[in-house]
């Protein structure tokens, strides 16, 4: 239960399990706009929900309530690629101009909406049963990030690569994918973020690592041991199936270390500077050390940071959203 002391510090938690508006069914991602509104990818309810800064439901993003015979749960229609409907949306991102980009994962596409919830465009859907490894195509995209210029970066999970696009879906660059001498090979990249210096940060779930690239796609830094042992994976700086990533205005990096049930925080050079959730640097099997109490997680999937430095976490198995003030970061 949320204590008055935590509330006074600025901590917020909201959400319960369910299908009504304002409820969640395994939320997978969270983001926040400049006005403090909170957006949640409500994964198994197949919808995007918008809340105010106090956690009160405002609206959904996408199809209107009565469009396409949608029910309150926001269940997808039988028509694939219908604008404003989704199939297991994994992530979303807010652009500098307020537009909302949704990673419509199992429809293999990105959908873009205005801040007033008007559909603008989409790209990437797989049109045939036979998959083709083509530039610009997407296969189960899991994560999305936007740089300060408005360019869009997609963690193309099924094709083991990150693709960069304009905000209209024109392909600009690929990192990873088919292994070549000068390309980093990913194993299931799940999220991507871009800092203000235009460095590209990629979370690789299969390798249990985080990579930093420059804007040309050159590898600069690697965080975490590849395939760490049970003892190693709980130490600060290592990960166990990490999933989400975010950056703040000073360049710090926040990683949703999913199966270690924590968020780890690093400076821009990869130095560990703090954590949220279970403090797992104790050689315990934190896969079992999940928590139900305030400030604890059961599979943190997504993370975001607002302009004031507050940290938002999508807590999948607890089916809720947390907001932490910077004062609650546990420092080493």
């Amino acid at each position: 239960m949320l204590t008055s002391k935590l509330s006074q510090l600025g901590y917020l938690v909201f959400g319960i399990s369910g299908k009504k508006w304002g409820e969640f069914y395994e939320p997978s991602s969270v983001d926040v706009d400049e006005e403090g509104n909170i957006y949640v990818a409500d994964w198994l309810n197949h919808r995007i929900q918008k809340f105010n800064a106090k956690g009160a439901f405002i609206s959904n993003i996408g199809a209107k309530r009565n469009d396409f015979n949608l029910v309150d749960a926001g269940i997808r229609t039988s028509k694939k690629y219908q604008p404003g409907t989704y199939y297991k949306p994994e992530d979303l991102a807010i652009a500098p101009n307020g537009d909302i980009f949704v990673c419509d994962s199992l429809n293999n596409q990105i959908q873009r909406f205005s801040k007033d919830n008007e559909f603008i465009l989409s790209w990437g859907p797989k049109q045939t049963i036979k998959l083709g490894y083509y530039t610009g195509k997407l296969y189960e995209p899991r994560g999305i990030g936007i740089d300060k210029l408005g360019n869009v970066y997609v963690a193309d999970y099924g094709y083991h690569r990150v693709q960069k696009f304009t905000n209209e879906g024109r392909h600009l660059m690929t990192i990873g994918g088919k292994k070549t001498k000068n390309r980093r090979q990913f194993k299931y990249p799940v999220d991507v973020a871009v800092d203000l210096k235009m460095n590209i940060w990629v979370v690789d779930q299969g390798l249990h690592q985080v990579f930093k690239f420059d804007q040309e796609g050159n590898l600069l830094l690697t965080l975490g041991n590849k395939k760490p042992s049970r003892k190693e994976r709980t130490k600060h700086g290592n990960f166990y199936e990490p999933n989400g990533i975010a950056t703040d205005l000073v360049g710090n990096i926040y990683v949703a270390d999913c199966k270690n049930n924590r968020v780890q925080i690093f400076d821009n050079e990869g130095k560990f500077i703090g954590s949220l959730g279970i403090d797992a640097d104790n050689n315990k099997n934190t896969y079992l050390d999940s928590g139900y109490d305030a400030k604890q997680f059961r599979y943190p999937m997504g993370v975001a940071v607002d302009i004031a430095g507050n940290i938002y976490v999508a807590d999948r198995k607890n089916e809720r959203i947390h907001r932490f003030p910077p004062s609650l970061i546990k420092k080493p």
Side-chain angles (χ1 to χ4, degrees):
M1 185 174 181
L2 182 60
T3 67
S4 59
K5 182 178 180 180
L6 284 175
S7 180
Q8 290 170 4
L9 290 172
Y11 174 75
L12 172 73
V13 61
F14 65 92
I16 60 172
S17 178
K19 295 185 177 182
K20 295 180 180 179
W21 297 116
E23 299 175 346
F24 303 121
Y25 190 4
E26 298 202 5
S28 59
S29 182
V30 61
D31 205 352
V32 58
D33 64 23
E34 291 185 352
E35 298 175 355
N37 297 309
I38 303 164
Y39 300 75
V40 180
D42 190 6
W43 187 56
L44 289 182
N45 277 330
H46 310 286
R47 63 188 179 186
I48 306 297
Q49 298 194 67
K50 179 180 178 180
F51 301 83
N52 68 18
K54 295 182 179 180
F57 174 78
I58 297 175
S59 67
N60 69 310
I61 300 300
K64 306 301 188 297
R65 189 169 188 164
N66 296 320
D67 289 349
F68 317 120
N69 297 314
L70 287 179
V71 297
D72 276 1
I75 299 298
R76 66 190 178 99
T77 68
S78 59
K79 295 181 179 180
K80 287 187 175 182
Y81 321 126
Q82 180 69 60
T85 64
Y86 319 103
Y87 187 12
K88 293 186 177 179
E90 285 275 359
D91 199 10
L92 73 146
I94 311 299
N97 69 350
D99 285 355
I100 304 146
F101 290 76
V102 178
C103 208
D104 186 9
S105 298
L106 292 194
N107 278 333
N108 301 299
Q109 66 177 345
I110 304 300
Q111 296 196 51
R112 176 185 173 189
F113 301 86
S114 73
K115 61 182 179 181
D116 297 319
N117 194 22
E118 296 297 328
F119 175 78
I120 297 175
L121 56 84
S122 64
W123 74 85
K126 167 170 56 68
Q127 300 291 351
T128 62
I129 295 177
K130 184 178 179 180
L131 297 178
Y133 188 89
Y134 305 113
T135 295
K137 291 285 187 179
L138 301 170
Y139 183 26
E140 200 174 331
R142 291 282 187 94
I144 188 168
I146 300 177
D147 66 26
K148 63 185 180 182
L149 303 178
N151 297 308
V152 180
Y153 301 72
V154 180
D156 194 1
Y157 178 87
Y159 284 142
H160 308 285
R161 63 187 178 182
V162 169
Q163 296 194 69
K164 177 182 177 181
F165 301 89
T166 68
N167 62 9
E168 295 183 345
R170 180 171 62 85
H171 180 267
L172 297 174
M173 183 178 72
T174 297
I175 304 173
K178 291 182 177 180
K179 190 172 183 179
T180 66
K181 183 178 179 180
N182 296 318
R183 280 191 174 180
R184 171 74 210 183
Q185 180 68 50
F186 296 125
K187 185 180 180 182
Y188 302 118
V190 288
D191 203 8
V192 57
V194 186
D195 63 32
L196 291 180
K197 294 181 180 179
M198 299 293 283
N199 297 307
I200 304 161
W201 296 82
V202 180
V203 177
D204 191 310
Q205 190 176 76
L207 295 178
H208 310 281
Q209 292 178 307
V210 173
F211 302 104
K212 176 184 179 182
F213 300 88
D214 66 19
Q215 58 186 302
E216 303 300 325
N218 300 303
L219 181 64
L220 300 176
L221 180 68
T222 299
L223 300 180
N225 291 337
K226 184 178 180 181
K227 298 181 180 179
S229 67
R230 176 172 292 186
K231 182 177 180 179
E232 290 175 332
R233 72 190 182 201
T234 64
K235 291 186 175 296
H236 293 149
N238 282 340
F239 311 100
Y240 185 23
E241 293 192 16
N243 195 81
I245 192 165
T247 67
D248 64 19
L249 293 178
V250 297
N252 294 326
I253 308 303
Y254 302 73
V255 181
D257 190 5
C258 181
K259 289 194 175 178
N260 275 327
N261 294 302
R262 63 187 178 183
V263 170
Q264 295 196 69
I265 306 164
F266 305 86
D267 68 17
N268 205 260
E269 299 304 317
K271 178 183 177 182
F272 174 80
I273 58 175
S275 63
L276 298 168
I278 292 174
D279 183 13
D281 197 13
N282 53 16
N283 295 331
K284 289 184 178 181
N285 179 10
T286 54
Y287 180 83
L288 302 177
D289 289 346
S290 57
Y292 298 85
D293 296 337
K295 302 193 300 177
Q296 294 183 339
F297 312 126
R298 294 173 62 221
Y299 289 14
M301 294 292 289
V303 61
V305 186
D306 66 20
I307 57 177
N310 297 303
I311 304 106
Y312 300 75
V313 181
D315 188 359
R316 173 170 274 184
K317 292 297 184 179
N318 281 327
E319 298 182 315
R320 61 189 182 182
I321 302 299
H322 304 257
R323 182 185 68 206
F324 294 86
S327 62
L328 290 181
I329 295 172
K330 184 169 184 178
K331 298 180 181 180

